[in-house]
Amino acid sequence: MSTAPAATRRSTAADLDALKKVEDRALWLSSAIVHHANRVRPNPSGLKVGGHQASCASMVSIMTALWFRHLGPEDRVSVKPHASPVLHAINYLLGELDASYLPTLRAFGGLQSYPSRSKDPDPVDYSTGSVGIGATATIWGALARRYAEKTPAGGFTGRQYALVGDAELDEGAVWEAVVDPQVAELGELVWIVDLNRQSLDRVVPTMAADRLRDMFAAAGWQVLVLKYGTLLEELFTRTGGEALRERIDSMSNAEYQRLLRCSADQLRDRLPGTGPGASAITELLATLEDATLLAAVRNLAGHDLEALDAALSAVDDHRPTVILAYTVKGYGLPSHGHPQNHSSLLTEAQMRELADAVGTDLDDPWVGFAAGSEEARLCAETAIRLHREDEPAATPPAIPADIGRTPTGVATTQAALGRALLDLTRAAPEAARRVVTVSPDVSSSTNLGGWVNKVGVWSPTERVDWFADDAETILHWRERPTGQHIELGIAETNLVGLLGELGATWSRWGEPLLPIGVMYDPFVQRALEPWSFGIYAGGQSILVGTPSGVTLAPEGGAHQSITTPSLGIEQPGCTTWEPAFALDTEWALLAALSRLGRPDGGSAYLRLSTRPVDQTLARVPADPAARERRRRQVVAGAYSLRRQEGARVTIAAMGAVVTEALAAADRLQAIGIPADVVCVTSPGLLYKALDARAGHGDAPDWILDQVFPADRAIPLVTVLDGHPHTLAFLATIHGVASRRLGVTGFGQSGSLDEVYRHHRIDTDSIVGAALDLTE
């Protein structure tokens, strides 16, 4: 670790003057963007619009130094959520955003609340907004880029910068990512922490750079601490200066913040304190003019362009770097340093004062720099330097709809995943080469062992497999740059973060990948929020949750997932399948793969089981046309597994409990109550079809006519190993009476029969529900 000097690379006075004027203009524009959204644009509803002028102000110097001095076209930047107006201001100065958008912050069709790669009209490298995710996205973006570009060992293309609010580092997911073993080798990572020591409500009393420095350094990062600017550093060299440094270093965050709100006379009284160096500090302050004293107490290095320039020039290429930049929240604004300035808005009078200070006009807020000025030249030169050519996206490889195998015997849907991936290497090798699997240390227990043995484990460098000659080793861990499996530590949020970035390579770098992440289904909810954010940002991937449900009977408790089956209905940009049979799994997987890496594509979630199921129960048609009809129905959401003459009840079952549904139908037939059995594979697709039939959306609805025809509108029993509300909507297709069976309580350990009986998803319960509806 090291502390960067005040400057190691001097710019000319003219350069610094132009840079300072750009900094002032970025401060003005970001403040005006928020001001216009809240105080100028008509707001008939009266609802708060919001925005964060103070949070923008603390980042302006950092972003000015980065964009106008250091960024290259290959670099990518993740901007902290509340600084989005600064990003838009810079894009406007560079000619990447039309002025017509500047008044549209948080308006429909305008600038988004937080940086959005998919919705903002100007260049945004990473979508941010969910605290912590934007920072860690650069880690997974670096890994995904290396994987997609097959970067040679020790090299990388472009830096990955993250501009991080210090309060974001409270998120545990940040540290899960920082300490992953692969991260210490990513020399392209540069995080700049806006260390303003404030959160939404208060000055954080324990926010200390020393603690953060030690935590990052322990993870193998280079740490550069930027605390004091050139003015303060010069004062420290004077008589009494060392005492002044010790005094500021030792005071609490809150006491320092209070000094920012003081007049010069108040500073002369408060700043010396009562310690042994008080008299020396008093004498030093007596030599300073009021303006110099006021500037000195605010002179933190995060607002010192020369200090920032030096730090950015000192980044080590061989390991990740974090720059801890001390800043003032609201720097340059009347609200600077106030503990409640997070969402405060400047008044019109204050905006006019700011306009006078930086040489602009509130009545003409978006005026550009004068043609021929040094600052206009700087913006033009920077725009040319940062120009990017559009990445031509390659067409994803063709995915077969059906590999042609018909499983027999007893199998699990979890094992079918690994089998289908291996079959793909033979049936469609070009497509298989684009597949990359990711796992949080559960490859073997989720049946990926055969796939990993086949394709190897990805690593930037080839590593010796010391167990290659061990006859008892079943899973061969061959790490090499051509491997197609990436193993992470036990942190599900890391997995979905990487999954999202692997799923965005088609639009970022023009390299479509087919990423599949596998984790235990009970932990899908732990990872759902960052995965959902990745989908929002344009990442297309497949998430596999396995094993699932109370079917994992001996595990008990919270290891038995309950609410995950409804994800396909509730998660935008994602289709869920929960297959009952091995062939259904293959068809669903192939359909999901075919939707990856394309502008009109999307993500998928597969919920799989470790329950062995007799595959003959699937009754796969032998006729090719009938088989294709079955496949289309599986992919569309459901198929008729058994249809009885004179049926009086329909049993719609999903996943592992289809076995119980068929057994219940046999018993009902024996007592004179014929029952149809429908195998539901995707509740989300069925819901969309029903919604489209009502005039909402444009999803195809033919599957409803084929599986739930109007002439078989009979009472309905729904059953699944998950919450019953997932399939409850099926009764509304024809408005029939229904009973909904599923899991509504925490799991219990026990045998499969005992656990199913406890949750009333066993054969007896299905029969009982059908009798309630038919007698």
Side-chain angles (χ1 to χ4, degrees):
M1 76 193 82
S2 61
T3 299
T8 58
R9 187 183 66 180
R10 297 287 180 181
S11 301
T12 66
D15 289 339
L16 287 174
D17 183 63
L19 197 63
K20 182 66 175 70
K21 289 179 180 177
V22 170
E23 177 189 27
D24 287 346
R25 188 58 58 91
L27 175 65
W28 165 256
L29 289 170
S30 61
S31 300
I33 287 170
V34 177
H35 175 78
H36 198 286
N38 286 273
R39 301 198 187 277
V40 180
R41 193 170 68 221
N43 183 13
S45 72
L47 292 174
K48 173 186 173 182
V49 176
H52 303 83
Q53 290 171 324
S55 294
C56 287
S58 67
M59 286 297 303
V60 165
S61 306
I62 292 170
M63 294 177 69
T64 300
L66 181 59
W67 258 263
F68 291 88
R69 290 283 291 166
H70 289 272
L71 279 188
E74 295 297 329
D75 299 333
R76 298 295 183 267
V77 188
S78 173
V79 177
K80 80 170 191 176
H82 292 157
S84 64
V86 185
L87 176 60
H88 298 310
I90 289 175
N91 281 336
Y92 166 65
L93 292 175
L94 296 179
E96 296 283 2
L97 180 66
D98 189 81
S100 62
Y101 281 103
L102 297 178
T104 67
L105 180 70
R106 302 190 176 202
F108 187 80
L111 301 176
Q112 298 301 297
S113 304
Y114 309 119
S116 173
R117 185 168 174 263
S118 58
K119 293 187 176 183
D120 272 318
D122 52 335
V124 175
D125 292 334
Y126 285 99
S127 297
T128 61
S130 187
V131 174
I133 290 178
T136 59
T138 57
I139 292 176
W140 315 126
L143 280 175
R145 189 173 196 174
R146 287 189 179 209
Y147 183 94
E149 296 183 348
K150 303 300 181 188
T151 307
F156 58 84
T157 304
R159 294 195 183 281
Q160 298 277 349
Y161 291 93
L163 308 181
V164 187
D166 52 9
E168 286 192 82
L169 299 181
D170 290 343
E171 284 288 341
V174 169
W175 299 104
E176 286 185 347
V178 165
V179 301
D180 190 271
Q182 299 190 65
V183 175
E185 301 176 0
L186 300 177
E188 61 265 49
L189 283 180
V190 181
W191 286 14
I192 307 174
V193 179
D194 172 17
L195 200 68
N196 60 51
R197 294 167 285 178
Q198 281 187 237
S199 63
L200 190 151
D201 292 326
R202 59 175 182 156
V203 177
V204 181
T206 57
M207 182 64 70
D210 291 347
R211 181 166 61 95
L212 294 175
R213 177 192 61 204
D214 293 344
M215 292 168 70
F216 276 105
W221 290 50
Q222 176 193 26
V223 184
L224 303 175
V225 179
L226 290 179
K227 190 167 187 179
Y228 301 120
T230 51
L231 174 57
L232 266 178
E233 289 287 359
E234 192 278 325
L235 290 182
F236 294 155
T237 66
R238 301 185 188 183
T239 302
E242 191 56 39
L244 178 61
R245 182 195 292 272
E246 291 177 2
R247 166 74 173 125
I248 298 177
D249 279 345
S250 63
M251 67 176 56
S252 69
N253 291 338
E255 183 182 4
Y256 175 78
Q257 293 284 101
R258 182 63 185 89
L259 294 179
L260 299 174
R261 311 290 300 169
C262 290
S263 66
D265 287 341
Q266 291 171 325
L267 282 174
R268 296 181 195 281
D269 179 58
R270 287 174 179 249
L271 186 51
T274 58
S279 60
I281 297 172
T282 299
E283 293 176 7
L284 173 60
L285 300 186
T287 67
L288 305 179
E289 295 181 354
D290 285 356
T292 302
L293 177 56
L294 289 169
V297 79
R298 294 160 175 76
N299 186 225
L300 298 182
H303 303 295
D304 190 303
L305 294 172
E306 287 188 272
L308 288 164
D309 190 35
L312 289 166
S313 300
V315 169
D316 185 352
D317 281 340
H318 301 95
R319 54 178 172 157
T321 296
V322 61
I323 300 173
L324 303 176
Y326 279 77
T327 60
V328 175
K329 195 164 187 174
Y331 184 79
L333 304 180
S335 60
H336 68 274
H338 194 282
Q340 279 85 52
N341 67 6
H342 181 80
S343 299
S344 66
L345 297 171
L346 301 187
T347 65
E348 180 175 338
Q350 289 173 325
M351 286 294 294
R352 292 194 181 278
E353 290 176 8
L354 178 61
D356 290 341
V358 299
T360 56
D361 183 355
L362 182 60
D363 297 323
D364 188 11
W366 320 124
V367 65
F369 288 122
S373 65
E374 284 299 304
E375 48 272 28
R377 177 191 58 78
L378 176 59
C379 289
E381 290 177 352
T382 302
I384 293 171
R385 169 167 50 84
L386 297 182
H387 176 72
R388 299 174 186 168
E389 299 294 338
D390 291 335
E391 292 283 354
T395 302
I399 307 293
D402 186 354
I403 292 176
R405 226 170 40 87
T406 303
T408 57
V410 174
T412 72
T413 55
Q414 176 178 288
L417 170 71
R419 177 77 259 175
L421 288 175
L422 288 174
D423 286 345
L424 190 65
T425 63
R426 292 183 285 270
E430 286 300 316
R433 275 193 282 272
R434 293 277 179 173
V435 172
V436 52
T437 55
V438 187
S439 169
D441 200 35
V442 293
S443 302
S444 56
S445 55
T446 53
N447 283 89
L448 283 182
W451 164 259
V452 172
N453 285 343
K454 174 78 173 179
V455 302
V457 178
W458 179 81
S459 173
T461 58
E462 187 154 355
R463 295 174 178 167
V464 176
D465 179 8
W466 293 104
F467 289 86
D469 59 347
D470 187 334
E472 295 183 8
T473 298
I474 299 175
L475 181 61
H476 299 290
W477 210 253
R478 292 189 292 270
E479 299 178 83
R480 55 198 178 192
T482 58
Q484 292 180 238
H485 175 77
I486 301 177
E487 189 83 358
L488 299 174
I490 306 175
E492 286 78 12
T493 55
N494 287 353
L495 178 139
V496 295
L498 177 55
L499 205 59
E501 289 304 320
L502 289 168
T505 57
W506 66 276
S507 57
R508 286 197 193 280
W509 325 119
E511 287 291 337
L513 298 176
L514 308 177
I516 302 172
V518 181
M519 67 172 65
Y520 292 160
D521 196 66
F523 307 135
V524 164
Q525 286 179 306
R526 179 186 299 174
L528 183 58
E529 192 260 346
W531 188 54
S532 174
F533 204 84
I535 294 173
Y536 165 78
Q540 298 173 3
S541 61
I542 300 172
L543 181 62
V544 178
T546 184
S548 63
V550 301
T551 300
L552 192 63
E555 290 284 347
H559 268 66
Q560 299 173 344
S561 54
I562 297 170
T563 60
T564 51
S566 63
L567 292 181
I569 300 175
E570 299 158 2
Q571 176 58 53
C574 170
T575 302
T576 292
W577 284 280
E578 183 169 349
F581 301 103
L583 189 54
D584 296 354
T585 305
E586 177 189 297
W587 286 336
L589 176 65
L590 295 174
L593 288 170
S594 70
R595 299 180 68 241
L596 300 180
R598 57 184 70 247
D600 59 345
S603 295
Y605 162 57
L606 270 63
R607 189 175 190 254
L608 306 183
S609 173
T610 51
R611 182 183 182 182
V613 173
D614 180 1
Q615 298 302 300
T616 62
L617 296 176
R619 298 183 179 180
V620 179
D623 179 80
R627 178 186 174 100
E628 172 57 16
R629 184 173 188 270
R630 166 71 70 85
R631 186 200 65 80
R632 291 182 66 246
Q633 290 178 336
V634 166
V635 171
Y639 60 93
S640 179
L641 190 56
R642 182 178 298 180
R643 186 163 288 180
Q644 302 282 42
E645 184 69 28
R648 296 173 55 192
V649 65
T650 296
I651 303 171
M654 185 168 75
V657 295
V658 165
T659 298
E660 278 64 36
L662 290 170
D666 289 339
R667 285 174 50 184
L668 289 167
Q669 181 73 23
I671 59 176
I673 303 176
D676 288 347
V677 178
V678 170
C679 182
V680 175
T681 55
S682 177
L685 290 176
L686 295 181
Y687 184 85
K688 288 179 180 178
L690 183 59
D691 223 24
R693 179 163 289 184
H696 306 293
D698 56 359
D701 64 355
W702 58 266
I703 188 66
L704 301 179
D705 294 327
Q706 290 191 6
V707 181
F708 298 99
D711 61 359
R712 302 184 84 82
I714 52 180
L716 177 69
V717 176
T718 61
V719 58
L720 73 154
D721 183 358
H723 200 282
H725 83 86
T726 306
L727 300 181
F729 72 92
L730 294 177
T732 67
I733 296 174
H734 297 300
V736 299
S738 67
R739 291 290 183 272
R740 299 158 299 279
L741 304 180
V743 180
T744 57
F746 285 113
Q748 301 287 333
S749 295
S751 68
L752 192 64
D753 289 344
E754 291 171 326
V755 170
Y756 275 17
R757 190 178 308 115
H758 172 77
H759 291 285
R760 295 184 55 79
I761 58 174
D762 60 320
T763 301
D764 284 351
S765 297
I766 298 172
V767 171
L771 292 175
D772 288 342
L773 291 169
T774 56
E775 290 187 347

